[in-house]
Amino acid sequence: TTTAATRSRIRPTTTSKPSSNSPVATRNIPFPDKVRDMVLDVITHVRRQEYTPGQLCQLQKIIECKYFYWWCMDMKKEEYMLELFTDDFRYYLNGHLTVKDKLLQARNAKWCNKDMQTMHMGHQPMIWLIDENHARGVFQYEDHMCYYDDCEVLQSWMVYCDDFVKGEDGAWRIQKLRMAYREMDGNFRTTMVPRDWVPDAWDTPDY
């Protein structure tokens, strides 16, 4: 059995081979160079970033914006993403543009999460305050998903590098969501929502 301590060790860059006693082993996923460059750009800017008290308040709001995204999925309220994302939202997976519509992104998430107990856990935020209304943030991330029917477990480790925009209402929203996987243990059964699928519940944000 793979332990947390074993998973935390530094691994070689080659893809891990499944062990003889496990149907799926933790495997390494190549980290795109352009994502790595963006992450380095953010963290080096943050390293020398100075803050006013007002900027610290905005920093906290940006972090909470991202945390709200993960909490929405774990609370099965993926439809709240429609308020959380900008109208020109874009989703990039491993460096490639994948989704250009926030409704599709919310539906994909609800479809993917509906058969699992999900735990999305982000940490180590580094937020570059580009100007008063724009920011870019990077987050380390891991998750632990468990399918309801047979308790099959899926775990992944990745980096987020997101662009945030402050709206006229003062709320920060995600304009570009970038996910780059680094390791994964297990597989999603399905990720793309069928066109004719109707969710059991779909609420309108009233907060």
Side-chain angles (χ1 to χ4, degrees), residues 7 11 15-16 24-29 93-94 141 143 145 153-158 179-188 191:
R7 286 195 296 268
R11 307 177 195 282
T15 302
S16 303
V24 179
T26 301
R27 58 197 183 278
N28 288 290
I29 299 172
L93 178 62
N94 294 334
Y141 168 89
D143 56 33
M145 318 297 199
V153 171
L154 167 67
Q155 293 177 281
S156 61
W157 298 263
M158 70 180 76
M179 292 169 48
Y181 282 93
R182 305 205 68 182
E183 297 180 19
M184 180 171 281
D185 190 340
N187 292 293
F188 287 102
T191 57

Side-chain angles (χ1 to χ4, degrees), residues 128-191:
W128 174 22
L129 301 175
I130 299 172
D131 59 38
E132 291 184 357
N133 298 313
H134 299 86
R136 177 169 290 170
V138 298
F139 302 78
Q140 292 274 17
Y141 168 89
E142 57 188 306
D143 56 33
H144 190 280
M145 318 297 199
C146 184
Y147 280 96
Y148 293 127
D149 58 358
D150 62 0
C151 293
E152 177 186 355
V153 171
L154 167 67
Q155 293 177 281
S156 61
W157 298 263
M158 70 180 76
V159 171
Y160 278 84
C161 182
D162 296 349
D163 288 355
F164 299 86
V165 175
K166 186 179 181 181
E168 294 182 358
D169 60 353
W172 286 91
R173 293 180 174 86
I174 300 172
Q175 182 185 49
K176 293 180 180 178
L177 182 75
R178 303 181 184 90
M179 292 169 48
Y181 282 93
R182 305 205 68 182
E183 297 180 19
M184 180 171 281
D185 190 340
N187 292 293
F188 287 102
R189 295 177 183 175
T190 179
T191 57

